[in-house]
Each structure stands twice: as C-alpha cells, then as structure tokens.
Amino acid sequence: MMTNVFEILLHEGIHSYKKKNSSAPLPHLIEDQKQTKKHKKGAIGVTRSKEDLSSPGGVKGYVITSKETLLEDSVELSHWTPNVHNYLGYVDKEKRHLKGHTEKNLQQINTFVVDIDTKKQPYTEILTAALDYSVGIPTMVLETPKGFQVYFVLETPLFISNQNDYRGLKVAKRISENIRRSLAKVLQGVDLSCNDFGFFRMPSEDNIRWFSEKMVFSLHNLISWSKRQDDDQNRGLFVVESKGEGLDPTHAEWFRELLATRHVKGRDGQIGRDNLMYTLALTCYSAGKGQGETLDLLDEYNSSLEAPVRHSEVQKIVKSAYKGRFKGASQIYIQELLEAWLPGKDIPVTNHLGGWYKFKKERKDRVRSHYDEWEEDLLAYIQSETSTVQPIKWTTQSALCEAVGIPRSTFNEVIRKSKKILIKRIGKGRGAQTGLTSVAVLLQCALEFNQQHRALYYEAISLMNGSRENASALWELENQLALLTRFPENRPLTGKKFNSS
C-alpha cells in the first residue's frame, strides 16, 4: 500500500532504489538507471519528530534520495517534504541539520497540502467540503495528533525554474492559497498561513484515513479554477507592476505615505502603531503578496520607527492579517490613520480593487443572521452532539433551539431549505422528541468498516426516509456517497485504521 502512495505522490522525483546496498533485483536497478536519464532526480528532507523541525540548529533531519530508503525508514519518521528539491545538504559536519529546503530550490511540485488544526469535523466532512466548495475530492487525507492534512496531488508534477522570476512557483503558491481559502469558508481550523511547500506529516498505514489514486489533478484545470477564484476576489493571478498606481493598492499614495511615517506610537484612545501595521498588512494581503514578503516589509518598517515593537508582535500582526477574515483594508481606518499621523496632508484614499471591503461584524453583533450562518450553527451543534456510535441527536425542539440560540421560526425555515440536515419528529405536545443528524455524520457512518456503524447508518436512513423534509438531504447523501465509494482502490487495510471506502 505505502509503495503505491509514495509512487503517486513523488512521481519520478527521486530514485526508485538506493545507489548502494539496494535489495532490488539487478534488472530493476538497470531500469532505474535508464529512467534517471529521462527524469531529473532530486531529494526530499525527513525528520524523526515534530520537535526536530524547530531545533536550535534549524531543521534536524536527513536527506533521502530513493523511494526504497523512504519505504524502509518511513515507520520511524514524523515529517517529510513531499515536494522534491533539486538538492539538499547539511549545515554541520555531523550531518544533523538540513539546508536547502527553500521554495526557490524546489525541483518539482507534486502536491498541494492543506493543514487543518482541529478534529471538530470528521475527515468525511473534509471530503464533502472539498467536493462541494473546492477543487474536488482530495487524493489523500492524513490524521494528525491535532487535526488532518489534506493532499491534492498533481497528475504530472510542476517543474520549477528561475525563468520569469520563478513564475511557475508564483502560480503554484496562488493555487495553494486559493485551495486553502475555499476550504476555510466551510471548515474549521484551516491554517491559512501554513508554508505552501514545506514539511508535512509522514503518511503511514496508521494515519491515512482516505486515499484514492484516481483523485489526481490536472495543473491546467487547477489554474483555470484558481483564476475563477481570483476573479471573485477582484485580483489577478499575478500582481502586475505598472507605472503610477496601477492595480496594486500598495502603489497608492496613501500606502506609501503611511509606510514613510516614523513617529507613530501606540497611545490610549488613539489609532496607532499596531493599527497602522495591520492596515498595511491587510493591503498587502488584498494585493496578493506573500506572507513572507509582507513580514519583511513590516519588519523593516518597524525597525525604522522611533518606538518600535518586538519582532514577535509584527509576526502576530501579519499572521492575523493573513487569516482571511477580512478581504482588504478598511477605508475608514485608512482615513483615520492619515488624519492622526499625517494631519494637514490632502491624500486621496483611492480604490484599486473594485471596491473597499468593509469589516464583517462578529456573529454576536448581528441583529439578523443569514440563513447559511444558522445552518452552520446547527451543523456545528449536530457535529458536537453526535458520533458514529450515536449518529442522531434526540432532544426537544425547545431545548434544541435554546442550545443553538435560534428562533423556532428560523429553525423550521432552515430545516425546510437545508440539503445537509436531516430531521425526524416523534410524538406531539410536551413529550414530542426531535431527532437531528447531518449528511456528514451519516457519511462517516457509511464509510466506516465497523459493522456496528454500518448497522446504525442503515437504521438512521430507514428512520429519516419517513420525513418529507429530508428528501433533498437524502438525495445529497446518496450522491456524495456514490462519488466517495466508486473507486476500487479504496479498501480497508487489514488490522489498520484506514477508514475510506
């Protein structure tokens, strides 16, 4: 199984067999040498523990250049670089700490990986979210101690060169960012600031929850999809520099003027230093600039201030701006900053991205909530109150509405429209019981190979079939289950926790 996983993920990026002391038959070694002439071979980095990623001397690990070595060592490894580098080396004579694992040293990009730092939603919900709201069902989902890592593997690798200022790398980073953003809209815990092509969890038979070698992605299709996402956000695939201010808001006069201020401080009751840097960071984010580039810019700005803050504070500001909660800087904040720190200057706050985005109010601050937000609240409640052992939450409707904080009339409207929530009402009056479940919960039951879970799934389906309100949700469940179970390679590993179907 793991041989197949590594073949799909790494393509021809590294050697199949060791150069020395290989246990492979001679004909296989000869064939591998022939393939080396056709495909350039690179290297991947691995570590034995998560702590090794941030040791005092840098990343503590070693270099692997063959799939044979990877298969032999993988059980004892914690992290790896699934995207292959041209070369990797060591910073010390003892060969303990790696060097060369930089983006511009990438030989080829094999996969995009999304890091999800929570287990509040099951892996089956990640599959359906990717199918409905992103590029499609992922190639692989790994369970980590705190969440999941989701792999979207390319059909053929994207080879990186330094032509046109690493244009291919920029395209790949934008695709990676858009995949993360699309999933962050519907899933909890998506890390929007994760290193696009760094170290990720090592796959193993124990942590793989889903794998389908048929679910690979064409680079051409991903580029087309990513462009559509950019169109929705009023930005192009690349930030095009032009004379004057062009389309990049970081070229605007107000941005340059704020960046040139040196006397800004943090004062009580006055918009100050942190607000200014956060606004600049949001502007860089809306312009499509990378998080590293923005951190470098603001770190340099902070160092030039008469009263700078700690570097760690600058890191927090940039990370917060790149969480994706806001699409761009607030025009009101920009105006206030100009009035506070550049009084008397008549600086226009011009629009370069088709309209400044307003800050979204917090959920608790809204008098009326949108239908989809109430649906999200109900789904979160169902997820927290159910499991594969008990897929239906039984309670009274009044207790349910009180727990979620939803008016009864709104609850009934959400249930009537939802394609994700299923309901069963039993009895009348005070003794009436309401049973709730969701497509995601039932999918998880269906995909489990535990016979008890399967029995509970069929029992729940039989119960929910009796309610007319569930027709669209049951159709959605059947459709998604068909998509997730059509491929023959999705079979359980004997004695393992591999729960795909």
Side-chain angles (χ1 to χ4, degrees):
M1 177 63 197
M2 295 312 301
T3 301
N4 194 31
V5 169
F6 291 137
E7 286 289 343
I8 296 297
L9 263 66
L10 293 172
H11 297 290
E12 301 294 331
I14 62 176
H15 292 279
S16 295
Y17 306 106
K18 302 176 187 177
K19 288 186 177 181
K20 297 180 180 179
N21 303 319
S22 175
S23 59
L26 183 60
H28 291 186
L29 295 174
I30 294 172
E31 180 61 27
D32 188 43
Q33 290 174 1
K34 291 180 181 179
Q35 292 299 321
T36 301
K37 297 177 181 178
K38 297 179 182 179
H39 303 280
K40 182 184 175 184
K41 305 299 181 183
I44 61 172
V46 298
T47 67
R48 290 188 173 89
S49 71
K50 184 176 181 179
E51 291 69 31
D52 288 344
L53 294 171
S54 54
S55 71
V59 176
K60 184 180 179 182
Y62 61 96
V63 181
I64 286 181
T65 58
S66 74
K67 295 170 190 172
E68 183 180 5
T69 302
L70 182 61
L71 278 166
E72 290 176 356
D73 296 2
S74 61
V75 178
E76 299 177 353
L77 300 174
S78 68
H79 290 75
W80 72 324
T81 57
N83 295 297
V84 179
H85 291 84
N86 288 301
Y87 59 88
L88 291 173
Y90 300 95
V91 297
D92 50 355
K93 293 181 180 179
E94 293 79 13
K95 295 186 176 181
R96 292 180 179 178
H97 295 93
L98 295 172
K99 69 175 181 179
H101 47 285
T102 61
E103 290 182 345
K104 290 187 176 179
N105 186 35
L106 282 168
Q107 171 185 292
Q108 63 190 64
I109 292 171
N110 299 320
T111 182
F112 301 99
V113 185
V114 178
D115 193 18
I116 298 178
D117 295 327
T118 182
K119 293 185 181 180
K120 290 183 178 179
Q121 64 250 322
Y123 79 91
T124 49
E125 193 168 332
I126 296 170
L127 296 178
T128 55
L131 174 65
D132 291 339
Y133 301 101
S134 190
V135 293
I137 300 171
T139 314
M140 185 169 69
V141 179
L142 305 186
E143 184 173 353
T144 67
K146 294 184 178 180
F148 298 93
Q149 288 185 348
V150 189
Y151 281 66
F152 298 87
V153 179
L154 287 170
E155 185 178 15
T156 56
L158 168 62
F159 293 95
I160 301 302
S161 73
N162 58 5
Q163 292 182 356
N164 297 319
D165 193 24
Y166 293 90
R167 186 175 188 272
L169 180 60
K170 291 180 180 179
V171 171
K173 287 174 71 68
R174 179 58 62 84
I175 293 171
S176 178
E177 178 188 351
N178 280 333
I179 292 174
R180 294 198 306 271
R181 281 186 172 187
S182 65
L183 291 176
K185 291 177 182 178
V186 290
L187 295 174
Q188 300 181 62
V190 175
D191 188 350
L192 292 170
S193 62
C194 177
N195 186 346
D196 297 280
F197 309 114
F199 283 84
F200 297 98
R201 284 277 169 182
M202 172 63 66
S204 72
E205 292 182 353
D206 289 327
N207 65 18
I208 293 176
R209 296 292 169 266
W210 167 264
F211 176 70
S212 173
E213 64 182 41
K214 299 286 182 66
M215 288 290 121
V216 290
F217 297 83
S218 155
L219 179 62
H220 173 75
N221 291 341
L222 285 180
I223 290 174
S224 298
W225 174 83
S226 188
K227 284 181 177 179
R228 291 195 296 273
Q229 304 303 303
D230 287 332
D231 289 343
D232 291 341
Q233 299 173 49
N234 295 310
R235 63 175 186 172
L237 183 59
F238 303 106
V239 177
V240 181
E241 294 187 5
S242 59
K243 294 180 179 179
E245 294 175 352
L247 297 175
D248 187 344
T250 62
H251 292 171
E253 182 183 355
W254 65 263
F255 185 91
R256 294 196 302 268
E257 289 287 347
L258 287 177
L259 196 61
T261 56
R262 298 291 178 265
H263 59 294
V264 183
K265 297 179 181 179
R267 299 176 184 173
D268 292 336
Q270 184 179 24
I271 189 168
R273 189 175 44 199
D274 289 2
N275 300 105
L276 191 152
M277 283 195 279
Y278 186 62
T279 297
L280 295 178
L282 280 173
T283 306
C284 291
Y285 172 73
S286 68
K289 295 187 181 300
Q291 188 170 338
E293 183 181 357
T294 300
L295 179 59
D296 289 343
L297 178 71
L298 290 190
D299 188 43
E300 185 177 343
Y301 169 73
N302 180 57
S303 299
S304 70
L305 290 175
E306 295 172 3
V309 299
R310 290 191 299 248
H311 176 68
S312 60
E313 291 301 312
V314 180
Q315 289 178 311
K316 288 179 183 178
I317 289 169
V318 174
K319 187 174 182 179
S320 178
Y322 275 72
K323 283 186 179 293
R325 290 177 297 170
F326 311 120
K327 293 183 178 179
S330 164
Q331 189 170 10
I332 296 173
Y333 271 61
I334 296 168
Q335 200 64 56
E336 286 185 13
L337 285 165
L338 291 172
E339 291 173 2
W341 300 105
L342 294 168
K345 281 197 172 186
D346 185 17
I347 302 171
V349 181
T350 50
N351 178 344
H352 299 275
L353 292 175
W356 285 102
Y357 300 103
K358 295 181 180 178
F359 280 75
K360 187 179 181 182
K361 291 182 180 179
E362 291 295 325
R363 179 79 163 75
K364 58 182 173 56
D365 295 332
R366 300 178 200 176
V367 178
R368 295 178 62 87
S369 297
H370 296 296
Y371 156 80
D372 56 348
E373 291 172 327
W374 283 123
E375 184 184 43
E376 288 174 10
D377 288 350
L378 281 170
L379 288 169
Y381 172 78
I382 292 168
Q383 190 62 51
S384 65
E385 297 292 325
T386 59
S387 66
T388 52
V389 178
Q390 192 165 359
I392 301 176
K393 169 64 178 177
W394 290 99
T395 182
T396 64
Q397 186 166 319
S398 58
L400 191 155
C401 291
E402 184 178 350
V404 179
I406 182 174
R408 285 199 180 194
S409 58
T410 306
F411 170 79
N412 291 326
E413 180 68 9
V414 171
I415 294 298
R416 188 179 67 82
K417 291 182 178 180
S418 180
K419 294 182 179 180
K420 300 177 181 179
I421 300 172
L422 298 94
I423 189 170
K424 180 68 177 180
R425 296 181 175 93
I426 297 177
K428 294 182 179 180
R430 292 185 177 180
Q433 288 285 300
T434 299
L436 277 187
T437 187
S438 69
V439 169
V441 170
L442 293 181
L443 270 177
Q444 189 176 17
C445 281
L447 294 175
E448 288 281 0
F449 279 85
N450 182 302
Q451 290 303 314
Q452 180 189 358
H453 295 161
R454 283 292 179 91
L456 289 168
Y457 166 75
Y458 289 120
E459 182 182 327
I461 291 298
S462 177
L463 186 67
M464 293 297 168
N465 260 326
S467 298
R468 186 180 299 177
E469 295 163 300
N470 297 332
S472 59
L474 286 169
W475 182 90
E476 183 70 18
L477 173 63
E478 184 178 348
N479 181 51
Q480 293 197 17
L481 190 58
L483 285 167
L484 294 173
T485 59
R486 67 171 57 165
F487 302 111
E489 69 273 13
N490 294 322
R491 294 290 181 261
L493 294 176
T494 304
K496 301 299 178 182
K497 301 176 184 177
F498 191 79
N499 295 327
S500 66
S501 172

